[in-house]
Amino acid sequence: MQASKIARAWFGATALVVIAGLAAQIPVSAGTTGGTFQTPAGRVANLLAFFTIDSNILVGVGGLLLALGVAGRSTLSGVLRLTGLVGITVTGVVFQVALADLYDLHGWAAFADTMLHKVSPLMCVAGWLLFGPRGQLSWRVLGWSLLYPLGWLAVTLVRGAFIGFYPYPFVDPGINGYGGVAFNCVLIGVLFTGLAAAAVGFDRTFTRRDEPEDFAEDELAADPAEGVERIRDAGTY
C-alpha cells in the first residue's frame, strides 16, 4: 500500500512538472515576435508542431491517469505509457545532442526548457523503472506506438512544404536537403524503435520475475479424488 502511494505521488509530480513547463512555455511563445506566425494565438497553436510538446503532453496525461488510479491495463493504456516514455526519452536525448547549444534562454523560457527537456524526461524514465506499472507492454503495443513518430513526421513534412515552417533544423529540407532529412529521420526512428523494444523486453522480463513461483501451482492443484467428492457433495454430476 505504501509503495502504491509513493508511485502515485511520483506520477502526480511528473504530471505537475509537465503542467508547469507548458504553463511557462505558452506565454513565452505567445509573446515572441517575428517568425512565421504573426499572432499570439498562431504561435501558441504552433506549439503542437513540436515533438517535445507532444511527448510531454503524453507523459502528463499518462502520469495524471496513473496518479488518479484510473489508467487501467488496456492496450490503449500500454500504448499511451510506451509512447510517452519513449517519446520523452528521445526528446531528452536529441535535445542534448543536437539542440541544446542552439538557444540562449533566460527567465521563464529557461524554466520551461528545463521542465520540458530535462526534468520531465528524467522523472518519466525514473518513474517507469521504479514503479512501472509492469505487464502493460507487448510487441503489439510497440507496433501501435510507432504510429506516433511516423504520424508526427508525416504531418511535419507535409505542413512544412505548404507553410515553410519546420520545428527543428534536422527535419528542414531547406537546411539539410531531403536526403539529409531522410537520414536524420532514419536515425531517430531507429533510436525510437530500439528504445521501445528495450522497454518491452525489460517489462516482459521483470513481469515474469514478479510472477508466483512454481510452488504456488502445487498449492492450487486439487486432488482428483477430493474434487469428485466435492462435486458429489454439491449435488452436481
Side-chain angles (χ1 to χ4, degrees):
M1 182 63 70
Q2 185 64 27
S4 175
K5 289 181 179 179
I6 295 174
R8 288 192 180 191
W10 187 279
F11 296 137
T14 303
L16 288 176
V17 165
V18 172
I19 292 171
L22 293 176
Q25 184 62 56
I26 287 172
V28 168
S29 296
T32 302
T33 57
T36 304
F37 304 93
Q38 300 302 312
T39 66
R43 291 189 288 271
V44 170
N46 188 56
L47 285 173
L48 293 175
F50 290 85
F51 192 84
T52 293
I53 300 298
D54 299 334
S55 297
N56 270 282
I57 290 173
L58 291 173
V59 169
V61 172
L64 186 60
L65 293 176
L66 288 167
L68 295 175
V70 296
R73 302 188 66 83
S74 65
T75 298
L76 180 60
S77 296
V79 172
L80 176 61
R81 185 66 169 146
L82 182 61
T83 304
L85 172 69
V86 180
I88 205 67
T89 303
V90 171
T91 292
V93 171
V94 173
F95 179 80
Q96 295 302 323
V97 171
L99 302 174
D101 294 334
L102 299 180
Y103 308 99
D104 183 21
L105 303 176
H106 304 279
W108 287 111
F111 174 80
D113 173 74
T114 299
M115 293 294 104
L116 300 176
H117 285 116
K118 300 173 184 176
V119 180
S120 173
L122 288 174
M123 290 195 68
C124 180
V125 173
W128 180 74
L129 290 173
L130 291 171
F131 306 114
R134 301 282 170 253
Q136 278 194 321
L137 307 186
S138 65
W139 302 118
R140 180 187 180 197
V141 166
L142 186 154
W144 283 111
S145 72
L146 295 179
L147 293 178
Y148 168 50
L150 291 174
W152 178 86
L153 178 61
V155 171
T156 296
L157 294 180
V158 172
R159 180 174 181 258
F162 280 99
I163 68 174
F165 173 82
Y166 297 89
Y168 304 107
F170 56 82
V171 292
D172 188 343
I175 297 175
N176 303 284
Y178 280 100
V181 169
F183 178 76
N184 292 334
C185 291
V186 167
L187 286 181
I188 296 174
V190 169
L191 175 62
F192 191 102
T193 305
L195 289 172
V200 172
F202 181 94
D203 181 74
R204 290 166 67 89
T205 297
F206 278 83
T207 298
R208 286 194 295 268
R209 289 184 181 180
D210 291 340
E211 289 176 350
E213 299 294 338
D214 292 340
F215 71 82
E217 189 175 306
D218 295 335
E219 292 177 357
L220 296 175
D223 179 79
E226 182 181 349
V228 171
E229 292 300 322
R230 289 181 179 178
I231 292 174
R232 288 176 177 171
D233 290 342
T236 304
Y237 297 90

